[in-house]
Amino acid sequence: MNAIVKPAEASLDAVRATLSALLGDRLQTSAALCAQHANTATGRGTQAPDLVVYPLDTQEVSAILRCCWQHGVPVIAFGAGSSLEGQLNAPLGGVSVDMSRMNQLLEVRAEDLLAVTQPGITRKALNHELRATGLQFPIDPGADASVGGMCATRASGTNAVRYGTMAENVLALEVVLADGTVIRTGSRAAKSAAGYDLTRLMIGSEGTLGIITEVTLRLRGIPEETLGGVAAFPDLDSACAAVIVMVQVGLEVGRVELLDAAQIRACNAYSKLDLAEVPTLFFECSGSDTSARDAAQTFADIAEEHGATAINWSSDRDTRSRLWQARHDSYWAALALRPGCKGLVSDACVPISALAENIAAAQADLVEKALIGTILGHVGDGNFHVVLMTDPEDTAEAEKVSAFLKGITQRAQDAGGTCTGEHGIGQGKMAALAAEAGASLDVMRAIKLALDPRQILNPGKLFGAVQ
């Protein structure tokens, strides 16, 4: 198959006319709105679609895809717009399908610990709707992402060390394929041995295999008690060593996040904290009153054994919320360290035994290349992030940034890890995926061609066009 190309203007005109008749004013073509539906979260640049549509149900999504399939026009699903590797860009133009109006909680079955939602509902809105049930959806990637987008990128986040990723917390999906066919994957049962696991195939496919229109989620009980706080360390090695021991002894910690000294300095200024500007672990332990306090005390004991200079925790909800909001705002806090810059975020995930070495190497590389950046991450599962503050107009700096990012990826892969633990591939890490996947990349390409032979779904992502 030849490389895909930008559709002819006549094809776009035909799609625009058909979808305008179907959707009315829920089809928009303004340049500003189209630009907002491209990648704008980081410094990777923006490639806007030609039009934006707002479906209300699965039938409309199916009709949109049938039309685009017929005319060979690209389709990019859009959730909350928080992806970081260019997943939302439209390098060939086409149609951005904004799912934000498909945002309903359709059903809650508390006795089965599950909920059925439309894809546009955000995680915060979902948990607000669940507040009276005593249940929660615990996956927290930081941004108020949509459930559909979290599925598409296999999101995880701060709670992953306890609850896992989206792959472990989605039971079933409704998906519209490239030609408009609607399929259902999975069931409401807790497990299944029936055929291929198409649910997990769709989770993490970044909109290249289908558009998710309904999600059945696994819910968890809200813990009786939650204790959260911080532990300050003299250096990164000590903080990482403490985390490794916590994981190895099976400590029931809900969250454990590492912020380096530069990130703490940024958070202090941005979120008005007064933490010591040293490597710091943010942590949270939850469960019954007794188990949460026992876990927090064990956490403190391990931290002290590894040189922690200050350990403070609290059961006060406002205190904990302030700390975790600062963690979630870390990207914006880091940007303020270099006013006028662009932010570029990358991540890697390594076996826990290789965590300290990889973080130390990344920090040394920042110094060697004279780059401004911070390091933080969900270190309980070996996932760390770097936030770089860059000047995209500085060619020499851009070359150093590129070399730095390649170094993070190469070291992680050499350690038996992966080029991305949660941000995904998008446009930014296609070469890294090819190096990591090897011959299995051909299997991925074969699946893509089987489900989307015209390659209209989010083209130019994961591995580009399939020949």
Side-chain angles (χ1 to χ4, degrees), residues 11 13 42 79 108 110 197 202 221 236 244-245 257-258 271 301 309 317 326 329 331 343 356 439 452 467:
S11 297
D13 288 344
T42 70
V108 177
D197 192 344
M202 292 296 170
L236 279 169
I244 291 170
V245 172
E257 300 283 299
L258 172 66
S271 299
D301 293 343
T309 55
R317 182 183 180 89
D329 289 340
Y331 172 74
D452 181 18
Q467 302 301 315

Side-chain angles (χ1 to χ4, degrees), residues 413-445:
Q413 291 173 334
D414 289 345
T418 178
C419 61
T420 177
E422 62 181 6
H423 294 174
I425 299 298
Q427 295 172 311
K429 291 190 174 180
M430 291 194 292
L433 174 64
E436 185 172 313
S440 66
L441 194 69
D442 291 334
V443 178
M444 297 183 198
R445 290 180 174 130

Side-chain angles (χ1 to χ4, degrees), residues 64-108:
I64 290 164
L65 282 170
R66 282 198 306 273
C67 176
C68 292
W69 172 268
Q70 178 183 352
H71 296 284
V73 171
V75 179
I76 304 95
F78 184 94
S82 56
S83 60
L84 295 171
E85 292 290 350
Q87 284 95 340
L88 302 177
N89 268 335
L92 303 177
V95 179
S96 175
V97 182
D98 187 318
M99 309 299 284
S100 61
R101 301 188 191 184
M102 292 178 63
N103 61 357
Q104 298 301 304
L105 172 58
L106 301 175
E107 183 181 5
V108 177

Side-chain angles (χ1 to χ4, degrees), residues 40-44 84 331 335 341-345 387-390 392:
T40 56
T42 70
R44 294 201 182 277
L84 295 171
Y331 172 74
L335 288 187
C341 71
K342 294 289 186 180
L344 189 61
V345 186
V387 183
L388 294 172
M389 284 63 77
T390 71

Side-chain angles (χ1 to χ4, degrees), residues 156-157 347-350 355 376-385 420-423:
S156 54
D347 79 316
C349 193
V350 297
L355 179 64
L376 64 161
H378 320 310
V379 290
D381 53 12
N383 190 194
F384 68 96
H385 311 264
T420 177
E422 62 181 6
H423 294 174

